[in-house]
Amino acid sequence: MVTQRGRRDGADSAGRPPRRPRRPATPDADNAPTAEIPAVPAEGTGRNGDAPEAVRAKSIPEAAVARLAVYLRVLSGMSEQGATTVSSEELSQAAGVNSAKLRKDLSYLGSYGTRGVGYEVSVLVSQIERILGLTRQHKVAVVGIGNLGHALANYGGFPGRGFPVEALFDLDADLIGVPVGGLPVSHMDDIPRVCAERGISIGVIATPPTAAQSVCDRLVAGGVQCILNFAPVVLQVPAHIEVRKVDLAVELQILSFHVARRADDAAGSQGNSGLPGTGLPSDNGKGGRNGSGPDGGREMVVRS
């Protein structure tokens, strides 16, 4: 006796389930239809009482935030030169990113451009400034008035971008009271009081590494919310404090790695006694490529 198996609903005579309908193809990001750039409202609220730009800002990845700052610099330069519109290709090339990534980044702002026209420069500048919190100034304090601190205190580009330097600090008795960049240098012991009185929101640490944590603690005690740290140490801070570390030595080591890799690639592309024109090496009896190492190139260690 042959037992007949039950069919699934909609199955064919062979018992196979029905085919699922094909999903419509997703349009390519570069060829997707675009719309007018919506203006960012100056007022109004979103979910949980947040302003619309605050809601959007919470969903933007940190890597995209860094690129938005680059776009703002490029757009500001274009605006100064009289440009009123810019295409995604022009902006992506000037910013050093691919156009698909740029369009994705700008979509966090609600900006999609207009096909055949591009993006309106002034609108993009306004949107990015609002997302980055640049609609108000952020007062800056520089701690450590050595060579780097002097350079930062005298740099004229900060105020124009919304970051006026309002306080300077050092331990050197010969510097206390001496004006640098138009501001007198205060003693480090006065950091909490001066930062609280002047409403400092960003602190820049340009001290030797041994003093960095103590300076950081004083800045936090003075109400500073964000710290830019040039000292080659990891700072311990409360959870609500944002720290950005700039280690110039590490950056140079990373660049050194890329220089060495390109030199090895260039040497390999010239070929040797292996296959002509392919860059494929022969052993030469020295254990590696031209005897230079087991991986055929100079061995390098990047130390952080």
Side-chain angles (χ1 to χ4, degrees):
M1 179 182 295
V2 178
T3 305
Q4 183 176 352
R5 295 180 181 177
R7 298 180 183 177
R8 299 178 184 175
D9 292 340
D12 59 15
S13 58
R16 292 188 296 265
R19 293 182 179 178
R20 296 180 179 178
R22 293 183 178 179
R23 296 181 179 178
T26 303
D28 182 82
D30 289 344
N31 299 316
T34 55
E36 293 286 343
I37 301 175
V40 176
E43 298 180 355
T45 57
R47 291 174 297 178
N48 302 322
D50 291 333
E53 55 267 26
V55 174
R56 282 198 295 272
K58 292 178 181 179
S59 64
I60 301 178
E62 186 171 348
V65 172
R67 291 192 294 269
L68 287 175
V70 175
Y71 304 153
L72 179 60
R73 173 177 54 80
V74 173
L75 289 164
S76 297
M78 291 180 172
S79 179
E80 291 174 359
Q81 296 176 5
T84 57
T85 60
V86 60
S87 68
S88 59
E89 288 74 16
E90 292 171 334
L91 182 54
S92 64
Q93 184 175 10
V97 302
N98 64 65
S99 57
K101 181 175 292 184
L102 178 137
R103 278 190 279 267
K104 175 64 175 177
D105 292 339
L106 296 184
S107 71
Y108 291 116
L109 312 178
S111 295
Y112 300 94
T114 303
R115 184 173 295 282
V117 177
Y119 298 89
E120 188 175 341
V121 172
S122 62
V123 172
L124 270 187
V125 167
S126 176
Q127 289 177 321
I128 296 176
E129 285 181 341
R130 197 166 294 158
I131 285 293
L132 296 182
L134 300 178
T135 53
R136 62 184 181 89
Q137 290 188 333
H138 300 274
K139 297 180 180 180
V140 177
V142 179
V143 186
I145 311 302
N147 292 332
L148 177 58
H150 265 89
L152 295 172
N154 284 292
Y155 178 57
F158 289 146
R161 297 189 179 184
F163 302 96
V165 177
E166 297 285 347
L168 305 174
F169 301 96
D170 202 281
L171 277 176
D172 190 344
D174 294 335
L175 285 175
I176 306 303
V178 176
V180 177
L183 280 174
V185 178
S186 301
H187 196 277
M188 284 188 184
D189 290 342
D190 297 329
I191 289 177
R193 176 182 59 81
V194 173
C195 286
E197 291 176 353
R198 301 182 188 179
I200 303 296
S201 58
I202 299 177
V204 179
I205 298 178
T207 67
T210 53
Q213 184 62 56
S214 176
V215 167
C216 175
D217 295 340
R218 287 176 166 88
L219 289 170
V220 172
V224 172
Q225 301 173 2
C226 301
I227 294 173
L228 182 63
N229 179 30
F230 284 92
V233 294
V234 177
L235 299 175
Q236 303 299 319
V237 296
H240 68 281
I241 302 297
E242 185 71 25
V243 177
R244 299 287 295 180
K245 182 180 178 182
V246 181
D247 193 326
L248 299 178
V250 169
E251 298 301 324
L252 290 173
Q253 289 170 343
I254 293 172
L255 290 176
S256 173
F257 166 77
H258 290 293
V259 171
R261 185 178 64 178
R262 290 177 182 178
D264 287 344
D265 290 344
S269 65
Q270 293 176 0
N272 49 28
S273 58
L275 297 177
T278 64
L280 297 177
S282 61
D283 190 341
N284 289 340
K286 297 182 180 180
R289 185 176 302 175
N290 297 328
S292 57
D295 63 346
R298 293 191 299 274
E299 294 181 357
M300 177 179 176
V301 177
V302 178
R303 297 182 177 86
S304 58

